Amino acid sequence: DDLTLANLECSFSPSRLESDSEYAFCGDPKYVQSLVLGGVEAVTLSNNHTRDFGYDALTDTFEYLSNYGIDYFGAGINKEQAEDLVVKTVNGVKIGFAGCNYVYLPDDCAADEDHAGINMVYKMSDERTLAFLEKVKEYDTQCDVLIVFMHAGTEEVFEVNSYQKNLARALVDNGVDIVVGAHPHTLQPIEFYNGKPIFYSIGNLIF
């Protein structure tokens, strides 16, 4: 294929780290090779597990993905990088990617000016959500196709909740061409809104 993207819900770190999460996922950095061998070119880190092992594991993950040539988005060393756009040119088409997470996490998991984290969005009227939607408008002018990964919804259900729908449609209204949802671990409906596809939940690739 021309391009393979994935939602990566784990950290990679050479350290033996501790986590207080009920489900905590971390792997040896050498296993980033599995992404390379699987043809994955870029991953979203905007989800509720990339911070399971704290800042150290998160920044280790950035390092090892970069070492293996895997682009990442939806998280970063600060708020600007976490919100940032990654653009890849495929057959002359500029495709842009960004990611956001709306699954409850402690406040310090959100990237900020002075620390690493993920691109968190909150209720639709929240300043972080509105700021990201403004960023999306800018990104629409910087690529031919804009894809946003949206981590939201209720686990293990097949129904789309109102927040998923409101956020996904707001993303499209602000210029996103394709919205890709994850978190429920189930397949959920595909909607065409203003002619743009919204995949509310794509289920699991490998668990």
Side-chain angles (χ1 to χ4, degrees):
D1 60 5
D2 296 313
L3 189 65
T4 299
L5 309 174
N7 169 44
L8 180 68
E9 290 205 58
C10 70
S11 301
F12 291 106
S13 178
S15 305
R16 184 68 181 172
L17 300 166
E18 298 296 325
S19 175
D20 57 7
S21 297
E22 182 179 3
Y23 300 102
F25 307 112
C26 191
D28 189 300
K30 69 184 179 184
Y31 294 120
V32 181
Q33 293 178 82
S34 64
L35 297 173
V36 177
L37 294 172
V40 175
E41 284 88 6
V43 295
T44 177
L45 300 178
S46 57
N47 58 61
N48 56 310
H49 284 294
T50 46
R51 268 278 281 113
D52 280 350
F53 290 87
Y55 298 122
D56 290 344
L58 184 62
T59 54
D60 284 349
T61 302
F62 300 157
E63 177 184 352
Y64 288 101
L65 288 172
S66 296
N67 288 350
Y68 280 90
I70 303 292
D71 288 324
Y72 61 87
F73 53 93
I77 59 171
N78 53 38
K79 184 174 182 288
E80 182 180 8
Q81 190 183 84
E83 292 176 338
D84 215 357
L85 180 72
V86 169
V87 178
K88 297 186 81 68
T89 301
V90 180
N91 298 328
V93 179
K94 292 173 70 176
I95 305 176
F97 319 105
C100 60
N101 174 73
Y102 181 72
V103 175
Y104 173 75
L105 292 171
D107 288 343
D108 67 341
C109 293
D112 215 328
E113 307 307 328
D114 59 350
H115 65 75
I118 63 175
N119 183 28
M120 289 291 298
V121 293
Y122 300 98
K123 61 185 181 180
M124 296 302 300
S125 60
D126 187 86
E127 61 182 28
R128 278 188 78 112
T129 308
L130 295 174
F132 182 60
L133 291 173
E134 285 299 313
K135 287 266 189 180
V136 165
K137 287 182 185 177
E138 295 175 30
Y139 297 156
D140 184 39
T141 68
Q142 298 172 26
C143 54
D144 302 309
V145 179
L146 177 58
I147 301 171
V148 170
F149 275 70
M150 175 186 78
H151 208 75
T154 306
E155 290 186 328
E156 300 180 359
V157 304
F158 298 99
E159 296 79 26
V160 176
N161 67 35
S162 60
Y163 186 86
Q164 284 172 281
K165 185 165 289 190
N166 291 339
L167 178 59
R169 290 182 173 188
L171 289 167
V172 171
D173 288 339
N174 284 277
V176 175
D177 296 297
I178 303 170
V179 178
V180 183
H183 181 63
H185 300 287
T186 57
L187 290 173
Q188 290 186 349
I190 301 168
E191 174 185 34
F192 281 83
Y193 172 70
N194 290 343
K196 308 294 185 181
I198 299 170
F199 300 83
Y200 280 106
S201 176
I202 56 174
N204 296 330
L205 173 62
I206 299 170
F207 191 96

